[in-house]
Amino acid sequence: IRQNSESTRAAAVQQLGQSWVEWNTAVANRNIQEALLKVEKFDDPSKAPVIEQRIAESYVRSLFSNWSISHYQYLMGVLDQPLWDGVMRDIQGSFESDSSFGRLVRWAWKRNRYLYAITFSEFINSTISKEELK
């Protein structure tokens, strides 16, 4: 049982690393980066041009999906605390209200939060509330 548990956790670590490599590779293209920069210039991302809005929102939703999977693995005991801590720091930094990217992430979360598991939604909502208290 112990070996199976270690094997499962090792596979989760591998999966987490691979998903981030794939995600970073996929979004490292000029069209996505230009859309993000254009949308981030707006205090209200919904005022940005529609095409760039959709590209930026898809980008952020892919972040939410990666975070949601990691959150589930953490709750199931598959993702170890040090790895989850890194994911949490990424989440917390991405929701910072004083950055243009943070405004974009908050806007996208409000529009898409219903897509994710309730436990993940509650976690993100509490993270946003804690960040707002700073």
Side-chain angles (χ1 to χ4, degrees):
I1 292 173
R2 184 174 165 206
Q3 285 178 329
N4 187 32
S5 177
E6 289 174 6
S7 174
T8 301
R9 288 161 57 168
V13 170
Q14 180 66 29
Q15 179 187 0
L16 178 64
Q18 187 61 37
S19 70
W20 282 112
V21 168
E22 290 171 5
W23 187 82
N24 284 317
T25 301
V27 300
N29 82 46
R30 181 172 290 282
N31 291 338
I32 291 172
Q33 297 304 316
E34 286 175 350
L36 287 170
L37 290 172
K38 188 174 277 190
V39 173
E40 287 177 3
K41 289 180 182 178
F42 290 83
D43 286 336
D44 178 0
S46 64
K47 303 293 184 197
V50 173
I51 297 296
E52 284 78 6
Q53 262 185 56
R54 290 182 181 163
I55 292 170
E57 187 172 15
S58 291
Y59 171 90
V60 176
R61 280 193 354 214
S62 68
L63 264 179
F64 297 156
S65 293
N66 264 348
W67 293 339
S68 176
I69 291 165
S70 295
H71 183 253
Y72 177 78
Q73 289 177 328
Y74 172 70
L75 292 178
M76 299 307 295
V78 176
L79 191 64
D80 291 331
Q81 188 69 49
L83 292 172
W84 174 244
D85 290 346
V87 174
M88 268 191 359
R89 286 190 298 274
D90 187 40
I91 292 169
Q92 291 165 341
S94 295
F95 277 96
E96 289 179 351
S97 58
D98 59 349
S99 73
S100 57
F101 186 69
R103 283 193 306 274
L104 170 62
V105 172
R106 286 167 178 268
W107 170 79
W109 179 249
K110 287 177 187 172
R111 294 169 50 93
N112 295 278
R113 62 183 170 218
Y114 67 91
L115 296 172
Y116 303 94
I118 291 172
T119 53
F120 178 69
S121 294
E122 289 171 348
F123 168 74
I124 292 296
N125 290 338
S126 72
T127 299
I128 293 170
S129 295
K130 287 177 196 170
E131 204 284 320
E132 288 175 352
L133 295 174
K134 291 181 183 178

